[in-house]
Amino acid sequence: MGLLKIFASILIVSSTSLIGYCFGNRYSTRLENLLHLEQCIKILETEIVYGAVPLPEALTNVYIKGNKKVSFIFEEIRRNLLNNRDGDLLKSFKMVSNQLTEQLSFKETDVELFLSLGRLLGSSDRSDQEKNFKLILKQIEILKNEAKIEMDRNEKVYKNLGVLAGITIVIILL
Amino acid sequence: MQQREIGIYENVLEYISLEISQVLKKIPLIYKESVEEIRLRNGLPINIYSMNSDYFVAEDGSITKDKHRGKLVTKEDIIKTFQLISNYSVYAFEEEIKNGFITLKGGHRVGIGGKVLYGKNGVEKIKNISSLNIRIAREKIGVSNKLMKYIIEYPNTIYNTLIVSPPKCGKTTILRDMIRNLSNGLTDYNFMGLKIGVIDERSELAGMYNGVAQHDLGPRVDVLDGCSKKDGTIMLLRAMSPDVIVMDEIGGIDDVAAIHEIIKAGVKIIATVHGSSIEDLRTRRSLNILINDMIFKRYIVLDNSKGIGTVKDVIDGNTFTSIKI
């Protein structure tokens, strides 16, 4: 009987810890992915502003050169763009926005920033594109700082909360 | 042949916004084969130019002369079409847009109308695009065959030739086919192919797309795409040692100077000019110089009295008499 209790307690504590860990981890994943996204956007900026590479090709280059964890979305946008051929870039950006929240732990503000890239991309001349990229990179910097603060504040809290909640449940049950 | 022409038309539709291209897909076959221009204007009906006349296209794809029945083009359609034409990359076509047109794969040309903005170096960009004119390039292989006998000079060179034609009578098409014939060589006349330098200021002759000529110009052609005639002449003469230099639509005083340079270098020239007759050309000062200097030995005058590309007359440049047989 005692052995069973110990086993059950371990199970409870480890599962709540895991839940806590998952919740906490979202914050560091978001920060990490924002960093990768920033890098991808910088590659895209180089391709467009300095290379004047046509957008579909530029998107492939971002996919190849960027961190695949995030850069795969650019390849998906390209595929969507060329398959649909309806002249609407924003639509292709919107298609992948679900994945941003689900797979990359992005928040709504991050997705909104990403979509604003879709609104501006390719529709004007190089100097204009350069200005837009600067603005977007500045905004991403702000989001990164915000994500860092949130991570410092919440990540440990959630992780500790998971462990403590488990222990509390065990104590009550015992 | 018919299938090929329809294929060209349908390729062009790939560059037009879905709403409009679906309508254009439904037009009768006879028009699909012969459409030369598709014109999209903000807030106005779809306009096509075919068989020497213009028509509107109704929602169901039928052709009409009644502008009220035509399917209206919205601003959205223009923006989407422009995105497709520029491959979502306006920044990559900055220079082309400044010149007012973009060349598509296949050598088709899209003219752009809108608000023109000036910067330090002339036209900076065109914004608020209000109209697009898609000119479908249809290569007509063999249209110049009948003319070659007039321009070949024994044993293996050509006469300096000027093609005189009003707009839309096929002068560029004929010139392009002449280039092909001269660069391939003509076995019928025992004529060996010549090295030809093409100054393609408006990207119409070769229809360069990503460095590849979209029209068949034969194996001995070097193209300077988007280059002015003055600069192109110097570059070709200095570096490419051409036998013949070809240029489209001469007219300015700079062009005359360039042609003199070509003659000085002992290189032959073929050019085209807007006009309906030699008398008409004489009214323009710069062209009058060329005529009086007897630089051109052959004048080929075109009109569209019997369809596009009808040869009205071939005139000898020394005697100014007709030599058309």
Side-chain angles (χ1 to χ4, degrees), chain B residues 81-274:
Chain B
T81 307
F82 189 61
Q83 286 278 8
L84 287 171
I85 286 165
S86 64
N87 205 1
Y88 307 95
S89 325
V90 174
Y91 56 84
F93 289 96
E94 260 172 61
E95 284 305 313
E96 285 89 340
I97 292 168
K98 276 184 207 169
N99 290 330
F101 66 87
I102 293 179
T103 307
L104 299 179
K105 192 170 182 208
H108 316 295
R109 250 178 49 164
V110 184
I112 305 160
K115 166 86 181 152
V116 178
L117 294 183
Y118 278 90
K120 277 181 223 147
N121 309 313
V123 176
E124 195 152 78
K125 57 178 150 185
I126 300 180
K127 65 172 204 172
N128 297 339
I129 289 166
S130 55
S131 62
L132 295 169
N133 171 23
I134 304 163
R135 273 185 88 163
I136 301 179
R138 295 192 193 273
E139 232 180 336
K140 297 268 191 286
I141 292 193
V143 283
S144 71
N145 291 359
K146 284 183 298 185
L147 292 168
M148 299 315 289
K149 62 173 180 261
Y150 298 113
I151 65 168
I152 289 173
E153 185 182 5
Y154 184 79
N156 206 64
T157 180
I158 60 158
Y159 292 109
N160 295 325
T161 304
L162 184 65
I163 301 172
V164 184
S165 154
K168 304 206 64 57
C169 287
K171 62 180 164 338
T172 304
T173 312
I174 286 189
L175 181 63
R176 190 187 295 138
D177 198 56
M178 269 183 185
I179 299 172
R180 187 187 60 81
N181 271 331
L182 293 175
S183 106
N184 278 327
L186 294 153
T187 41
D188 290 357
Y189 301 96
N190 211 6
F191 183 84
M192 311 278 279
L194 298 175
K195 284 181 283 179
I196 300 182
V198 177
I199 304 172
D200 197 2
E201 195 169 2
R202 298 166 191 227
S203 306
E204 265 186 320
L205 286 168
M208 280 288 186
Y209 181 84
N210 273 349
V212 180
Q214 300 291 307
H215 299 296
D216 176 14
L217 296 180
R220 298 182 181 85
V221 170
D222 305 297
V223 182
L224 289 178
D225 185 35
C227 185
S228 82
K229 292 172 196 97
K230 190 178 154 206
D231 299 334
T233 304
I234 296 166
M235 284 153 84
L236 283 175
L237 289 177
R238 206 182 277 161
M240 303 307 273
S241 73
D243 297 318
V244 182
I245 288 182
V246 175
M247 49 177 76
D248 205 6
E249 300 190 11
I250 58 166
I253 203 79
D254 278 351
D255 302 346
V256 175
I259 290 168
H260 278 115
E261 281 301 314
I262 295 171
I263 302 300
K264 234 192 299 177
V267 173
K268 300 290 180 178
I269 175 165
I270 305 179
T272 68
V273 68
H274 276 295

Side-chain angles (χ1 to χ4, degrees), chain A residues 30-31 34-35 38 110 137-153:
Chain A
R30 180 187 167 212
L31 181 63
L34 275 175
L35 266 166
E38 186 188 27
D110 310 335
L137 287 171
K138 213 176 253 177
Q139 279 171 313
I140 224 170
E141 193 68 48
I142 296 169
L143 287 178
K144 252 170 43 193
N145 286 339
E146 186 196 298
K148 173 97 175 54
I149 294 168
E150 269 187 28
M151 187 186 83
D152 289 344
R153 200 173 50 203

Side-chain angles (χ1 to χ4, degrees), chain A residues 46-174:
Chain A
T46 316
E47 292 285 323
I48 287 176
V49 177
Y50 304 105
V53 180
L55 192 59
E57 213 177 301
L59 290 172
T60 306
N61 290 346
V62 173
Y63 168 65
I64 294 166
K65 292 178 193 166
N67 188 309
K68 302 279 181 298
K69 242 173 157 180
V70 172
S71 70
F72 75 94
I73 47 173
F74 290 91
E75 181 63 10
E76 268 181 42
I77 291 169
R78 185 192 76 98
R79 219 174 295 145
N80 191 283
L81 201 62
L82 297 183
N83 288 344
N84 283 348
R85 288 208 72 92
D86 66 353
D88 196 344
L89 182 62
L90 184 60
K91 215 169 165 185
S92 302
F93 266 72
K94 279 183 179 161
M95 290 280 193
V96 298
S97 61
N98 271 345
Q99 293 183 26
L100 294 178
T101 39
E102 283 163 15
Q103 294 180 25
L104 303 178
S105 310
F106 280 165
K107 284 173 67 175
E108 217 168 287
T109 43
D110 310 335
V111 176
E112 200 38 59
L113 178 72
F114 185 70
L115 290 182
S116 68
L117 183 68
R119 275 187 205 100
L120 304 165
L121 206 58
S123 59
S124 55
D125 59 16
R126 267 192 275 179
S127 61
D128 213 56
Q129 293 281 300
E130 193 177 3
K131 278 181 220 154
N132 289 329
F133 271 114
K134 280 220 169 84
L135 195 72
I136 282 176
L137 287 171
K138 213 176 253 177
Q139 279 171 313
I140 224 170
E141 193 68 48
I142 296 169
L143 287 178
K144 252 170 43 193
N145 286 339
E146 186 196 298
K148 173 97 175 54
I149 294 168
E150 269 187 28
M151 187 186 83
D152 289 344
R153 200 173 50 203
N154 297 334
E155 194 179 23
K156 266 195 184 147
V157 174
Y158 272 103
K159 284 180 183 169
N160 291 340
L161 206 67
V163 180
L164 290 176
I167 293 171
T168 318
I169 293 170
V170 169
I171 290 170
I172 291 168
L173 289 180
L174 282 178

